[in-house]
Amino acid sequence: MPGGTTDDRTEPTVPTAPESPWLRRPAPRPAATTTVLCLPHAGGNAGFFTPWARLLPPELELLAVQYPGRQDRLLEEPLVEMAALADALTAEILRTPLLGERRLVLFGHSMGASVAWEVALRLERGRGPRPRRLYVSGRPGPRHQHPADTYRLGEREFTDELRRLGGTNEELLADPEMRELLLPAIRADYQIVGTYAPDLDARVSCPIEAFTGDADPEATPDTVADWASATSGDFSLTVLPGDHFFLWPQGERMVAALGASALPAPPR
């Protein structure tokens, strides 16, 4: 499942610049040599990654993606097709001055993992920055991603599904006015994932590092290991304690893993 969630554990972020509605820069580091571009899960927002920005090594700067239809983009129509989302985000990456000559790595959780892979494919096929590494989290590999019509459920059934998966603040789900504001974007994200058909022959050339929780019923280690088939480069899998939202309790370990592999290896 896409892993839809939104709650008060995410932090508000300020847009980096008027010309970049997609990108948030919670801890600017002009001297950084590598940009870590983070893509949230279904129903998630850029603020989910704000705590990570403060924990990364100084050579790494975090940019977080803000999808349309949430927080400061609430009045925008959310996208409902993977290709449209990946195309729009890739175009934003190509025109933003925030990357400069830096190395680029991508991190995506749940739905964000599939979006990150699609963006990496597009960047490798074009003239833009080629990702040096792709991190995928809490998402089965392409051969284990199947259509689903969860997004078609009525409000009560859809809300129950969010409760089942966890990660959504119960107070928000219980408030009719908040549901009216939040559910359209979450439902749109579920539509993206539920109608997505990855190209099973496609491969990125950059290494893929995959992560999942040992108690995640949506992304078991065996299905997450299938990401090895989505790259012609190296692959590794790390299983950490936790469920689908293991990123919250395992945040420091995740950041440490990113910091250890996102930077270039020192010269011998």
Side-chain angles (χ1 to χ4, degrees), residues 136-172:
V136 294
S137 168
R139 179 77 169 143
R143 291 182 298 183
H144 293 274
Q145 298 173 20
H146 307 293
D149 60 358
T150 307
Y151 68 94
R152 297 182 182 274
L153 293 174
E155 181 175 317
R156 177 179 295 179
E157 292 80 7
F158 189 66
T159 302
D160 288 343
E161 173 64 16
L162 297 181
R163 290 191 175 99
R164 182 194 68 81
L165 190 59
T168 305
N169 188 303
E170 176 58 31
E171 292 183 4
L172 299 182

Side-chain angles (χ1 to χ4, degrees), residues 62-268:
L62 185 144
L63 293 182
V65 173
Q66 188 81 305
Y67 304 134
R70 62 216 72 202
Q71 289 193 330
D72 58 315
R73 303 187 72 185
L74 184 64
L75 298 182
E76 298 181 45
E77 193 73 21
L79 298 175
V80 296
E81 295 179 349
M82 178 66 76
L85 178 56
D87 286 347
L89 181 54
T90 302
E92 187 68 24
I93 292 170
L94 293 176
R95 65 173 163 257
T96 181
L98 295 173
L99 295 179
E101 300 300 319
R102 295 178 180 179
R103 292 162 45 92
L104 173 66
V105 300
L106 304 176
F107 177 94
H109 180 63
S110 198
M111 180 187 83
S114 290
V115 181
W117 184 64
E118 288 286 344
V119 169
L121 287 170
R122 285 159 170 74
L123 291 174
E124 289 191 350
R125 294 167 181 162
R127 298 181 179 179
R130 297 174 66 86
R132 303 301 183 93
R133 194 171 294 270
L134 171 61
Y135 300 91
V136 294
S137 168
R139 179 77 169 143
R143 291 182 298 183
H144 293 274
Q145 298 173 20
H146 307 293
D149 60 358
T150 307
Y151 68 94
R152 297 182 182 274
L153 293 174
E155 181 175 317
R156 177 179 295 179
E157 292 80 7
F158 189 66
T159 302
D160 288 343
E161 173 64 16
L162 297 181
R163 290 191 175 99
R164 182 194 68 81
L165 190 59
T168 305
N169 188 303
E170 176 58 31
E171 292 183 4
L172 299 182
L173 292 179
D175 186 329
E177 293 184 358
M178 292 305 299
R179 289 200 307 270
E180 185 177 359
L181 286 174
L182 300 175
L183 288 187
I186 302 177
R187 193 183 293 275
D189 289 349
Y190 268 73
Q191 184 172 348
I192 287 175
V193 176
T195 58
Y196 174 49
D199 181 353
L200 300 184
D201 295 322
R203 304 284 187 278
V204 294
S205 62
C206 64
I208 291 181
E209 292 190 33
F211 299 85
T212 196
D214 61 2
D216 185 352
E218 309 296 334
T220 63
D222 287 346
T223 62
V224 176
D226 180 56
W227 280 104
S229 68
T231 177
S232 59
D234 295 335
F235 174 79
S236 66
L237 170 63
T238 300
V239 181
L240 296 173
D243 57 18
H244 191 64
F245 294 102
F246 70 95
L247 274 71
W248 278 318
Q250 299 295 335
E252 291 189 6
R253 291 181 66 177
M254 291 294 300
V255 171
L258 291 175
S261 63
L263 291 171
R268 297 182 179 180

